[in-house]
Amino acid sequence: MSFPGSSGALTATLTGSAQVRNSAIGGRYATSGNSYLNTTTGGGFTIEFSSAISAFGFFGTDVGDIGGDLVLGLTNGQNKLISLDTSGRPNGALMFWGFTDDTNAYDRITFTNTSTGDAFGFDDMTVGDAGQVTGVVPEPGSMTILAA
């Protein structure tokens, strides 16, 4: 996997029970283009980045319609678990989740499905490194409006 970074491409390795699909299946589908990442039933996966990231986002399809929750593990020497409390969503539902963190950087994200009978789809993953997150400067027009 490759993403644009502040000083060149950020590369990542994906491991676990997920595969790229080019057609919709069971409520999971691409949110743009034709391809998306599909997990197997009850499966999860890990994305390990070549250099640490400070922002991450994704679209998820069909997450939690069979009672499972999506739990993310963010690793930066310690593991921080975040439960997205996705159980009870309708079949085929679309969600977006993302974060920015200007004080921590993470080298690995683990996706865990708590349901043994459900599969999830993921697409349009967005990544930002510390240079992209902390380098954000407000536009001058915004400052003028704020001052007014």
Side-chain angles (χ1 to χ4, degrees):
M1 301 173 79
S2 181
F3 304 93
S6 62
S7 59
L10 295 167
T11 58
T13 304
L14 185 135
T15 57
S17 58
Q19 71 279 347
V20 174
R21 286 196 53 95
N22 294 317
S23 60
I25 184 171
R28 298 173 304 281
Y29 51 88
T31 56
S32 68
N34 297 320
S35 301
Y36 66 99
L37 190 63
N38 184 64
T39 65
T40 57
T41 301
F45 60 93
T46 299
I47 301 173
E48 189 156 350
F49 297 94
S50 59
S51 56
I53 62 158
S54 294
F56 183 78
F58 64 88
F59 283 95
T61 56
D62 203 39
V63 177
D65 63 326
I66 302 182
D69 284 335
L70 178 59
V71 177
L72 299 179
L74 305 175
T75 305
N76 65 349
Q78 300 180 52
N79 199 22
K80 178 179 184 177
L81 294 177
I82 301 169
S83 175
L84 300 187
D85 190 22
T86 55
S87 64
R89 308 274 169 132
N91 183 44
L94 175 65
M95 64 172 276
F96 177 81
W97 185 86
F99 77 90
T100 60
D101 189 335
D102 59 359
T103 59
N104 294 296
Y106 303 94
D107 57 6
R108 185 177 334 144
I109 299 177
T110 302
F111 290 71
T112 303
N113 177 355
T114 65
S115 171
T116 58
D118 203 0
F120 302 156
F122 299 93
D123 201 3
D124 293 320
M125 292 181 178
T126 305
V127 171
D129 60 29
Q132 292 168 309
V133 171
T134 58
V136 176
V137 178
E139 295 180 22
S142 300
M143 291 306 290
T144 304
I145 293 170
L146 179 63

